[in-house]
Amino acid sequence: MNWGKKIVLTMAIFILFILGLGFYMLSKQGNDTLVESNYYEKGLTYDEEYNALENTFAEHAEPIITVNPNQLILQLKDSANYSLVLMRPSNAKADKKFAGKTIGKNHLILLQRNVTDKGLWLLDLKWESNNKNYQYKKSITL
């Protein structure tokens, strides 16, 4: 094989490599866990989120988080209606959403740990209590 055929063969292999990477990138499009699907709507309501975060810290209403082998326990200051999102940074399909009302006189939120993978989770808790909105965000390890 002379040098001309080797150059053409090398260029053909390189072109196939680039086309393969292009097809791979297009097939993985939309699976990025770092981009929110509704980022525009979240931007429009950012003032509400900021005010809820400020209410949490101004009134010292941060929840007490306890991680047991079987449960994740969050204790709030007052009874509340809540929505909780546990986000997995490495896999958006593993995200968990919960909603409800706190239970008991200690105002607890109880979650069973058998449904969650081990590792880092981003906790985003929003609740309404005494006609005020609150929000708390934290990274936790389960």
Side-chain angles (χ1 to χ4, degrees):
M1 185 183 300
N2 64 15
W3 62 270
K5 289 181 183 177
K6 289 180 183 177
I7 290 175
V8 170
L9 183 62
T10 303
M11 287 177 52
I13 292 172
F14 181 72
I15 289 171
L16 288 174
F17 174 72
I18 296 298
L19 287 173
L21 284 179
F23 285 124
Y24 175 75
M25 292 297 291
L26 289 174
S27 69
K28 293 295 182 183
Q29 187 176 7
N31 294 335
D32 190 2
T33 59
L34 298 177
V35 177
E36 300 253 358
S37 60
N38 58 348
Y39 67 92
Y40 184 72
E41 290 84 7
K42 287 188 89 166
L44 292 175
T45 61
Y46 182 72
D47 287 341
E48 295 170 13
E49 180 178 337
Y50 179 80
N51 290 336
L53 288 167
E54 283 297 312
N55 285 342
T56 303
F57 292 112
E59 298 180 18
H60 304 290
E62 297 91 353
I64 299 169
I65 301 171
T66 308
V67 179
N68 291 335
N70 298 325
Q71 290 181 329
L72 172 64
I73 303 169
L74 294 103
Q75 182 178 359
L76 299 179
K77 188 176 177 181
D78 294 317
S79 66
N81 294 321
Y82 68 90
S83 68
L84 173 66
V85 179
L86 287 173
M87 294 179 280
R88 184 80 168 165
S90 61
N91 184 5
K93 294 176 184 172
D95 292 355
K96 310 282 185 202
K97 295 181 181 182
F98 306 94
K101 187 167 175 63
T102 57
I103 57 174
K105 67 178 186 173
N106 291 333
H107 316 296
L108 299 176
I109 301 170
L110 301 173
L111 302 174
Q112 297 300 321
R113 283 194 52 196
N114 58 2
V115 295
T116 58
D117 298 330
K118 293 182 180 180
L120 180 68
W121 289 83
L122 302 175
L123 179 130
D124 185 6
L125 176 64
K126 298 177 185 178
W127 72 96
E128 181 182 349
S129 178
N130 300 326
N131 295 325
K132 282 190 176 181
N133 292 325
Y134 300 92
Q135 185 170 1
Y136 185 74
K137 294 182 178 184
K138 185 174 182 172
S139 298
I140 60 172
T141 302
L142 298 178

